[in-house]
Amino acid sequence: MPSSSVPFDYSADGFAVRDDVTSIHRVSWEKIARAGSHWTGPQRVEIARQARAARAARNDPPWSRDALPGAEGRLPETAVEAARTIGADAHRIDRAWAESMIEALGDAAYVELGSIVVTVSALDAFAEALGRGHEPLPDAIEDGTPDGARLEAAVDIGAYVPMADPFPGPNVGRALSLVPEANTLFFSNVMAMYGGPSGSFFDLKWDGPLSRPQAELLAARVSALNECFY
Amino acid sequence: MDSTVGRASGSDVPAGEQIVGFGEAVVRGSEDLPAAREALRQALGEAGFLEACGIAGIFNGLVRNADFSGIPLDDAALHSSEDFRDKLGLNDFSGAKNSDLTRADASQAGEGLFPQKRG
């Protein structure tokens, strides 16, 4: 458990995390707490809670994860399954499973749910890497209605969900482009955490304290251990 | 290259052994994470350690992002990774089904999984 009541107060725990990284982590928590485009604030926080719990149990076989918390009606069961699977077993996802989730939830709601899971997974893994407890999840903001926003120009590029095409940045940067708010939630963290203090994932600059070979070695090893083909 | 799939220590990259050990400990949540963390700090210094934490963290999100969205590799990455994907066993990963592995386009050669960063 972090020692401060201020969210993501890394300095209070002795970590000199860059201000821009700290700031985007706080903004991410604020966003997760509020209504998005397809889920309410309480639903978004519940998605985060399910994803965190499932990821924490990722080393246990799926059939023995009896201790995972129930959603107690805050989420459809399909959404609970989606959040847990993306959090703990993403490498097992195939087209049939994704299509069954999308049929039940809708493609944009599936993308928004996934954006919350991957953001929480990244920030939790960052905390574990540092040796710091997980940040308590934010209190949900009850007010607010999902705005239903989606990129109408998104097209089928052969992925499970429609995406922007053409896309001006690295290919993976368009994975969440169907829901602009979801894309911003996650990729603002990507830009802060993978690009150095004045670099950027999207403008292709590299000026962090690690050399590019060092950074790519770590990234590739993490990806391979997660059995990620991409 | 073999270091990415655990067949080598990463010793051809400065501090590669500590980087690989740290990445493995973070992903697995293993008991040796504190020792791996300290070894990396000693090898890279505090700024390098914090950068590594950021990369380890965000790639735990990026891999899930690719897997749940089913985004296929673009032609450039398909081509540039063609000679090592099979060697390293990457084509056996479930997500490989999302990309047409016969579609590598030689005209797109030169980029990597991520385009070369400049500056």
Side-chain angles (χ1 to χ4, degrees), chain A residues 155-172:
Chain A
V155 299
D156 180 2
I157 67 159
Y160 303 150
V161 293
M163 296 178 187
D165 190 53
F167 185 76
N171 186 51
V172 72

Side-chain angles (χ1 to χ4, degrees), chain A residues 14-18 55 58-59 86-95 97-98 110-115 117-119 121-123 125-132 157-161 163 169-176 186-187 189-191 193-197 200-230, chain B residues 1-30 33 37 40-41 43-75 77-78 81 85 88-101 103 111-119:
Chain A
F15 301 108
V17 174
R18 295 198 325 261
R55 184 177 166 278
R58 66 190 181 280
N59 293 329
I86 299 168
D89 301 305
H91 60 288
R92 295 201 177 108
I93 292 174
D94 59 18
R95 184 173 293 277
W97 180 88
Y110 175 75
V111 167
E112 181 173 322
L113 178 149
S115 76
V117 175
V118 301
T119 300
S121 296
L123 271 55
F126 180 64
E128 293 156 14
L130 285 175
R132 181 179 188 265
I157 67 159
Y160 303 150
V161 293
M163 296 178 187
N171 186 51
V172 72
R174 62 175 160 174
L176 306 172
F186 181 57
F187 280 97
N189 283 284
V190 176
M191 287 189 285
M193 296 167 73
Y194 187 62
S200 164
F201 182 72
F202 283 101
D203 68 16
L204 309 180
K205 292 179 181 172
W206 187 267
D207 65 352
L210 299 187
S211 68
R212 179 159 184 178
Q214 288 175 318
E216 297 289 5
L217 175 62
L218 177 56
R221 187 68 188 123
V222 168
S223 299
L225 283 167
N226 278 289
E227 297 183 33
C228 181
F229 172 77
Y230 194 92
Chain B
M1 189 68 74
D2 283 345
S3 304
T4 64
V5 291
R7 294 183 194 151
S9 65
S11 57
D12 49 343
V13 173
E17 190 172 340
Q18 291 86 351
I19 289 169
V20 168
F22 179 68
E24 291 175 350
V26 171
V27 172
R28 292 174 174 149
S30 55
L33 178 54
R37 195 183 287 132
L40 191 68
R41 255 202 187 97
L44 298 179
E46 190 67 12
F49 167 72
L50 292 170
E51 176 96 347
C53 290
I55 293 169
I58 204 64
F59 269 80
N60 271 281
L62 278 164
V63 295
R64 288 170 171 79
N65 186 55
D67 285 338
F68 97 81
S69 67
I71 187 169
L73 282 178
D74 55 301
D75 287 345
L78 263 179
S81 61
R85 281 195 316 265
L88 297 180
L90 307 184
N91 290 339
D92 296 331
F93 291 168
S94 175
K97 295 173 186 162
N98 301 329
S99 297
D100 178 358
L101 302 184
R103 191 170 48 85
E111 301 284 5
L113 298 185
F114 296 106
Q116 295 296 306
K117 292 174 185 279
R118 298 181 292 269

